[in-house]
């Protein structure tokens, strides 16, 4: 019995995923729990194991396609079962090109010939000419003209010509997108493997707008010709030329940077950002750190930084002000006040991106436990071993640009969190302090 594997729910807030790589192809044998496919979400790339053992019969979603949770992706049959794709696919495209189709088409123009017989005998001579045209590819254009409101996408996909073979590989999501927007498939250029048209190709086409040739009949010829000519080519050409003149290098953005940019833009549009900056005297923290740093590193294997002290203080502050330890959902018009503190820590992936890792139940950890958790998450993040649950569900976030020498930073809130704390460089500076007798003096302190 065949098993259909659908897009899994890879996290509480994940609604879709992008197929990065199929570990198996049609006809391959796969064992249960063996890696089947690698999927990218807006948080992390995940390897999905096969829920059953058997033979890959059909792959329904191509690499590079983005599909919603629950969308069928692949069909797995019994072990040793032959894949039907190799036998059925050649048979399907042959039927529309067989002689029956050619025989039906000349039968249709016969009635017009009969209608023309009563007036004059001359049209009878034109009828055979029309019948000859019916056997040619001209009626295909005529059929399209009769139904301009809804393109026959399925008919286009069924064409067996070599130039139109690649649309046959389109996923159901891309087909639906084409139908809903009434896109002429012949106008699309595929950038996927083997020239396959992907969802991104359709979205790019929709964003750029339909060809200006369609607007030409509605307006005088000179107007549409002049309008698009300077607008479309003029904009990209100078940019490309300037990049080449400066010797610049174009580098395609990786998935992490693209998703981060999308999430940050969405966060700015969703949450109202207000930035407040305060100075904190870290002198006592510095003295404790200096007194214990050697012993701590020998026992734990890593340095004792300021971050565990800041995290523990933040947790205590969130207990005192629970409204800050909440999630804000504008679309649902509600707030969720969390009982536990799941602390989000921003981790730099060696200059290749930034992710927020979650320390679960951080309010139940002491300073050493927090330091261990942060270190473990950072190591796993840089090794690419964090799961979706490790990157979602934080109730408050801390980002730490201090090691880069920053003086003040205005971070973007990690929605649905309602706030984020940015800790900058701790440096020695002259400041006014008050001694035990109430006397003010200037002293060098860690601020």
């Amino acid at each position: 019995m065949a098993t259909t594997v659908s897009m899994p729910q890879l996290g509480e807030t994940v609604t879709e995923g992008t197929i990065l790589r199929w570990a198996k192809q049609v006809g391959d044998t796969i064992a249960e729990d063996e890696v089947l496919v690698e999927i990218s979400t807006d948080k992390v790339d995940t390897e999905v194991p096969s829920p059953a053992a058997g033979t890959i019969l059909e792959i329904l979603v191509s690499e590079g396609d983005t599909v919603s949770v629950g969308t069928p992706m692949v069909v797995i049959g019994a072990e040793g079962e032959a894949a039907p794709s190799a036998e059925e696919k050649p048979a399907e495209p042959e039927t529309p090109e067989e002689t029956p189709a050619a025989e039906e088409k000349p039968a249709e123009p016969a009635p017009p010939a009969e209608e023309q017989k009563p007036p004059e005998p001359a049209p009878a001579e034109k009828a055979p000419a029309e019948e000859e045209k019916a056997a040619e590819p001209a009626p295909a254009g005529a059929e399209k003209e009769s139904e301009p409101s809804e393109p026959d996408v399925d008919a286009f996909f069924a064409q067996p010509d070599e130039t139109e073979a690649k649309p046959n590989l389109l996923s159901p999501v891309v087909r639906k997108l084409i139908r809903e927007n009434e896109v002429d498939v012949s106008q699309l250029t595929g950038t996927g493997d083997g020239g396959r048209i992907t969802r991104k190709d359709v979205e790019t086409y929709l964003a750029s707008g339909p060809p200006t040739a369609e607007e030409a009949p509605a307006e005088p010829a000179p107007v549409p010709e002049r309008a698009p000519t300077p607008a479309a080519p003029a904009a990209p050409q100078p940019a490309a030329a300037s990049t080449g003149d400066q010797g610049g290098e174009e580098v395609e953005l990786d998935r992490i940077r693209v998703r981060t940019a999308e999430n940050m833009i969405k966060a700015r549009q969703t949450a109202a950002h207000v930035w407040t900056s305060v100075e904190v005297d870290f002198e006592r923290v510095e003295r404790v750190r200096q007194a214990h740093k050697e012993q701590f590193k020998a026992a734990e294997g890593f340095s004792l930084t300021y971050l565990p002290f800041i995290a523990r203080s933040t947790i205590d502050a969130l207990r005192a002000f629970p409204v800050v330890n909440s999630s804000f959902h504008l679309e649902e018009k509600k707030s969720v006040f969390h009982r536990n503190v799941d602390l989000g820590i921003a981790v730099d992936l060696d200059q290749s991106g930034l992710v927020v890792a979650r320390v679960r139940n951080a309010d139940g950890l002491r300073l050493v436990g927090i330091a261990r958790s942060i270190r473990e998450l950072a190591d796993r993040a840089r090794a690419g071993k964090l799961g979706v649950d490790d990157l979602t569900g934080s109730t408050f976030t801390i980002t730490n640009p201090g090691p880069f020498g920053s003086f003040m930073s205005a971070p973007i809130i990690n929605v649905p969190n309602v706030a984020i704390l940015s800790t900058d460089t701790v440096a020695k500076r002259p400041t006014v302090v008050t001694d035990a007798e109430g006397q003010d003096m200037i002293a060098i302190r860690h601020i």
Side-chain angles (χ1 to χ4, degrees):
M1 182 176 179
T3 301
T4 300
V5 182
S6 300
M7 172 66 68
Q9 180 81 39
L10 296 175
E12 298 175 359
T13 60
V14 176
T15 59
E16 63 179 15
T18 301
I19 306 299
L20 296 181
R21 178 183 64 88
W22 284 105
K24 299 289 183 178
Q25 299 300 323
V26 174
D28 291 348
T29 300
I30 189 170
E32 186 175 358
D33 293 331
E34 186 178 359
V35 175
L36 172 64
V37 61
E38 185 178 358
I39 299 175
S40 173
T41 68
D42 59 347
K43 298 294 184 181
V44 69
D45 297 346
T46 304
E47 291 182 342
V48 177
S50 174
T55 302
I56 306 297
L57 299 182
E58 186 177 5
I59 293 179
L60 306 175
V61 182
S62 302
E63 293 180 356
D65 287 348
T66 301
V67 295
S68 303
V69 171
T71 302
M73 299 189 301
V74 61
V75 178
I76 302 176
E79 186 173 354
E81 184 176 350
S85 57
E87 300 176 0
E88 294 180 1
K89 285 184 179 179
E92 292 177 357
E94 288 178 1
T95 52
E97 285 193 47
E98 289 178 355
T99 52
E103 293 175 358
E104 292 176 0
K105 291 181 179 179
E108 293 177 357
E114 294 177 359
E115 293 176 1
Q116 294 174 356
K117 286 180 181 178
E120 293 180 1
E125 298 177 357
K126 296 180 181 179
E130 294 177 359
E131 291 178 1
E132 293 177 1
K133 292 180 180 178
E136 299 176 356
E143 292 176 1
K144 291 181 180 178
E145 293 177 359
S146 63
E147 297 179 1
S149 60
E150 183 176 358
D152 191 355
V153 179
D154 291 330
F156 182 84
F157 292 157
Q159 296 296 329
D161 296 344
E162 294 182 359
T163 57
E164 298 173 346
K166 55 189 177 183
N168 291 322
L169 302 177
L170 293 185
S171 67
V173 175
V174 177
R175 292 187 182 217
K176 181 180 179 182
L177 188 62
I178 291 174
R179 289 193 185 95
E180 290 178 349
N181 295 275
E182 298 184 355
V183 176
D184 183 359
V185 188
S186 62
Q187 300 295 325
L188 300 176
T189 301
T191 60
D193 295 338
R196 176 178 51 79
I197 298 173
T198 65
R199 177 179 180 178
K200 183 179 180 181
D201 297 329
V202 181
E203 292 175 345
T204 301
Y205 174 83
L206 295 175
S208 61
T212 54
E214 297 180 1
E215 301 176 358
E219 299 180 1
V223 177
E225 289 179 359
R226 293 176 182 175
T229 302
Q237 287 178 356
S242 61
T243 302
D245 294 341
Q246 297 175 359
E249 178 184 2
E250 291 187 3
V251 179
E252 185 177 357
L253 294 175
D254 57 28
R255 293 182 302 279
I256 292 180
R257 291 196 181 278
V258 172
R259 297 295 173 84
T260 300
E262 293 173 347
N263 291 338
M264 293 300 96
I265 292 174
K266 183 178 179 180
R268 293 286 294 186
Q269 295 173 342
T270 303
H273 282 63
V274 179
W275 178 43
T276 300
S277 179
V278 297
E279 282 189 347
V280 179
D281 189 339
F282 260 62
E283 189 61 30
R284 292 184 179 180
V285 173
E286 176 61 17
R287 291 174 183 175
V288 172
R289 197 175 72 90
Q290 291 295 333
H292 296 277
K293 67 177 184 179
E294 297 297 337
Q295 179 183 357
F296 183 89
K297 187 170 184 179
E300 302 296 334
F302 58 91
S303 300
L304 178 61
T305 65
Y306 295 110
L307 188 55
F309 293 92
I310 296 170
R312 183 63 252 182
S313 299
T314 300
I315 292 169
D316 295 338
L318 293 175
R319 284 300 188 192
F321 300 93
V323 67
V324 189
N325 188 46
S326 65
S327 296
F328 184 77
H329 302 276
L330 180 60
E331 295 180 355
E332 302 175 20
K333 299 181 179 179
K334 69 177 184 181
S335 292
V336 178
F337 291 82
H338 303 286
R339 295 179 180 178
N340 300 330
V341 177
D342 287 347
L343 198 60
I345 302 294
V347 179
D348 172 43
L349 303 180
D350 297 327
Q351 302 297 308
S352 63
L354 192 70
V355 297
V356 177
R358 176 176 64 160
V359 179
R360 293 185 181 88
N361 299 320
D363 50 332
L365 300 176
R366 304 177 80 175
L367 190 143
V368 175
I370 293 175
R372 290 172 180 168
S373 297
I374 293 175
R375 178 70 179 192
E376 178 189 1
L377 288 171
D379 290 343
R380 290 171 55 200
R382 294 180 180 120
K385 296 182 179 180
L386 289 181
V388 176
D389 291 337
D390 296 320
L391 298 171
T392 57
S394 65
T395 61
F396 185 87
T397 303
I398 297 177
T399 181
N400 181 32
F404 300 103
S406 60
F407 174 65
M408 286 186 180
S409 303
I412 297 176
I413 298 173
N414 182 30
V415 174
N417 295 174
V418 300
I420 185 171
L421 173 65
S422 176
T423 58
D424 294 278
T425 298
V426 178
K428 290 188 290 185
R429 296 210 307 268
T431 186
V432 176
V433 297
T434 304
D435 61 15
E437 298 178 356
Q439 298 295 320
D440 291 338
M441 63 183 69
I442 296 178
I444 304 298
R445 310 279 284 192
H446 287 81
I447 303 296

